[in-house]
Amino acid sequence: MAKGYWVSVYPAISDPERLTAYDKLARSAVQAGGGRLLSRGGRVVAHEAGITQRVVLIEFDSFEQAVAAYESEAYEKALVALPDGVERDFRIIEGID
C-alpha cells in the first residue's frame, strides 16, 4: 500500500507567533491520525521558482489515512486556529509503493 503525505509550503507568514496555536492543535491531530512529522521549517535550498520559506512534510501509512486525518474533527479545529495572514500551499499526495 502506498504511503500518503501532507506537503505544506508557506509562501507568506505575516505573524509567525500566531502560528503557534495552530501548530499545537495540528500536531495533536496529526499524531492522532497516525501521521509522522518528517520535516518542519528546516533548511531549504530552492531552485527555479522554489520557495525557501517554511516547508512541512508529514508521512502517513496510506493515502487514505492522510485524507482521513485532514478531514478529522481534530484537524478541523486546527484549521480554525490557522491565522489570517498565513498563505499556505497544502497538498495530500500519494507515495510510490
Side-chain angles (χ1 to χ4, degrees):
M1 179 180 306
K3 293 186 178 188
Y5 297 89
W6 286 9
V7 181
S8 301
V9 178
Y10 293 77
I13 301 172
S14 62
D15 189 353
E17 293 177 8
R18 291 192 58 217
L19 202 53
T20 302
Y22 162 80
D23 283 342
K24 288 179 183 177
L25 293 169
R27 185 175 302 134
S28 296
V30 165
Q31 289 173 346
R36 293 170 299 282
L37 183 64
L38 300 180
S39 179
R40 182 186 72 213
R43 296 186 308 165
V44 174
V45 175
H47 297 278
E48 296 149 27
I51 298 170
T52 59
Q53 284 80 0
R54 180 183 173 121
V55 177
V56 178
L57 178 62
I58 298 171
E59 180 182 62
F60 292 84
D61 289 335
S62 70
F63 179 79
E64 291 75 18
Q65 187 180 30
V67 171
Y70 184 84
E71 295 174 347
S72 72
E73 185 176 325
Y75 192 68
E76 285 180 19
K77 289 178 183 176
L79 286 174
V80 170
L82 192 62
D84 293 336
V86 172
E87 183 182 337
R88 180 171 84 145
D89 180 359
F90 178 91
R91 296 160 193 229
I92 300 173
I93 61 170
E94 184 176 37
I96 299 172
D97 285 336

